[in-house]
Amino acid sequence: MNPFILMALIFTLGLGTTITFASTHWLLAWMGLEINTMAILPLMAQQHHPRAVEATTKYFLTQATAAAMILFASATNAFISGEWEIQHMTHPLPTTATTMALALKIGLAPLHFWLPEVLQGLTLTTGLILSTWQKLAPFALILQTPSTNSNLMVMLGLFSTLVGGWGGLNQTQLRKILAYSSIAHLGWMVLILQFNTHLTMLALLTYFVMTFSAFMLLKINNATTIQSLSMTWAKTPTLTALAPLIMLSLGGLPPLTGFTPKWLILQELTKQELPTIATLAALTALLSLYFYLRICYALTLTISPNTPTSLAPWRPLAHRMSLPLATSTTMTIMLLPLTPTALALLTT
């Protein structure tokens, strides 16, 4: 792709998200979401591969449906109350419709079916943008929308953690595994949203850091299936040694960074006298942990000779992404001791 066109598309992506961040009016927020969607479509279809075109079409149809639902809900709210402000959405009908539309936009279960299929058809770089940056604008609207039904958010969160763990169990494609990982992490964020928005933001930021490390790890090793991970030790032995820590951090094991949001969310749910929901959320995290352990097994306990269809790349290649990956990997593994500092920064 022409670098000037690429720069314009990335700038437009940022512009759409910024418009949604800054808006208090539903039409302006909807416009920002649409700009965001239109800017990423050329990035998704730039390969001109049938799978990429299929993923782009699915993404466009899904996002257009969600945007139409948001427009319908905001117009209904304006008809009922005479207000277009995001904060003044009080009637349960438009509030519930908006919540479900935003859940469809970010891929919360049971509206998650498009996400694994779309992510599977994209390059790892575009998949990283879809898994991180594209979540920001809808999440900003979810945080601003005054929800009248906390049970809906809790059920969406619990169902997402369950589907995110269950769906990834039998996958061999790494992009689909990361898609289900995204669904599970979003479920944890939405689960605590009604009770403590600071923990939602903390979970979102740690998810971004861990997902960036995971996608960059796969991109550098050019790995898209679990089987191809058995060859990574020959390309990047140091990174392969650190890769299980990245995966276990995504799974939420102590003493890694990914344990921080799960620990604090379970603690907050217990404080809110919701021990059953906290127990169910902790049990669903075990499902996710299983497929992260499968990836760790392929990385560390399977060595050549084996029977992959690809040739073993014996010579390590030089990579440009070493500094960002080193920074994000360090943050993915070692930020647990800074939990009090992070909470203090988020609450002030």
Side-chain angles (χ1 to χ4, degrees):
M1 183 179 284
N2 188 298
F4 295 108
I5 296 175
L6 181 63
M7 187 175 66
L9 290 174
I10 292 173
F11 175 76
T12 311
L13 266 178
L15 177 66
T17 306
T18 307
I19 288 174
T20 305
F21 278 178
S23 59
T24 57
H25 193 284
W26 270 116
L27 281 181
L28 200 61
W30 172 81
M31 186 173 69
L33 291 173
E34 287 300 285
I35 291 172
N36 222 352
T37 302
M38 292 302 166
I40 200 173
L41 291 176
L43 294 175
M44 296 171 75
Q46 63 179 324
Q47 280 187 307
H48 302 295
H49 188 275
R51 194 65 196 262
V53 175
E54 178 190 343
T56 307
T57 307
K58 287 179 179 176
Y59 182 76
F60 171 73
L61 292 174
T62 308
Q63 299 299 307
T65 304
M69 286 177 64
I70 291 171
L71 201 57
F72 170 74
S74 54
T76 305
N77 183 67
F79 178 76
I80 293 171
S81 64
E83 288 283 351
W84 282 93
E85 298 292 315
I86 295 175
Q87 299 289 343
H88 293 168
M89 184 172 277
T90 53
H91 196 275
L93 175 62
T95 304
T96 305
T98 305
T99 303
M100 297 307 288
L102 292 170
L104 177 61
K105 264 202 171 290
I106 61 177
L108 280 174
L111 306 168
H112 67 284
F113 295 102
W114 62 272
L115 185 57
E117 296 299 323
V118 168
L119 207 60
Q120 177 61 24
L122 304 180
T123 62
L124 288 167
T125 307
T126 316
L128 174 60
I129 296 172
L130 183 65
S131 300
T132 54
W133 185 262
Q134 291 299 93
K135 311 287 187 192
L136 286 174
F139 236 98
L141 292 178
I142 290 175
L143 287 169
Q144 289 182 67
T145 306
S147 178
T148 55
N149 190 355
S150 59
N151 290 331
L152 174 64
M153 302 301 286
V154 170
M155 292 309 296
L156 281 174
L158 263 183
F159 197 50
S160 295
T161 57
L162 178 63
V163 168
W166 199 274
L169 288 181
N170 204 29
Q171 299 294 334
T172 57
Q173 298 290 328
L174 293 172
R175 284 168 291 188
K176 281 192 176 180
I177 288 177
L178 288 174
Y180 283 109
S181 166
S182 173
I183 294 165
H185 279 91
L186 289 170
W188 281 89
M189 296 170 212
V190 171
L191 191 60
I192 202 64
L193 186 62
Q194 295 297 309
F195 310 111
N196 193 329
T197 53
H198 301 301
L199 288 186
T200 300
M201 293 305 300
L202 178 65
L204 185 66
L205 292 174
T206 52
Y207 162 73
F208 278 5
V209 171
M210 294 185 296
T211 303
F212 180 84
S213 300
F215 270 97
M216 284 301 105
L217 163 72
L218 301 182
K219 182 176 172 56
I220 281 181
N221 289 304
N222 196 22
T224 54
T225 62
I226 288 182
Q227 191 180 31
S228 62
L229 285 176
S230 59
M231 289 298 179
T232 55
W233 64 272
K235 296 183 191 178
T236 50
T238 307
L239 185 57
T240 304
L242 292 173
L245 295 177
I246 296 173
M247 294 301 161
L248 294 177
S249 184
L250 272 167
L253 277 188
L256 304 168
T257 305
F259 177 63
T260 305
K262 287 186 170 62
W263 165 36
L264 295 173
I265 287 170
L266 291 176
Q267 186 181 36
E268 183 65 27
L269 287 172
T270 310
K271 285 180 183 176
Q272 298 291 335
E273 299 183 356
L274 297 169
T276 307
I277 293 172
T279 305
L280 289 173
L283 289 174
T284 57
L286 294 177
L287 294 172
S288 301
L289 186 60
Y290 174 76
F291 59 74
Y292 294 126
L293 286 172
R294 280 182 67 205
I295 296 175
C296 295
Y297 174 80
L299 279 162
T300 56
L301 298 176
T302 54
I303 59 171
S304 261
N306 48 22
T307 57
T309 54
S310 58
L311 295 174
W314 295 108
R315 297 187 60 179
L317 303 174
H319 301 289
R320 298 178 183 176
M321 292 298 294
S322 54
L323 182 58
L325 180 59
T327 307
S328 66
T329 303
T330 305
M331 293 172 70
T332 300
I333 295 171
M334 302 179 67
L335 284 190
L336 182 63
L338 297 180
T339 302
T341 308
L343 282 175
L345 288 174
L346 285 171
T347 52
T348 51

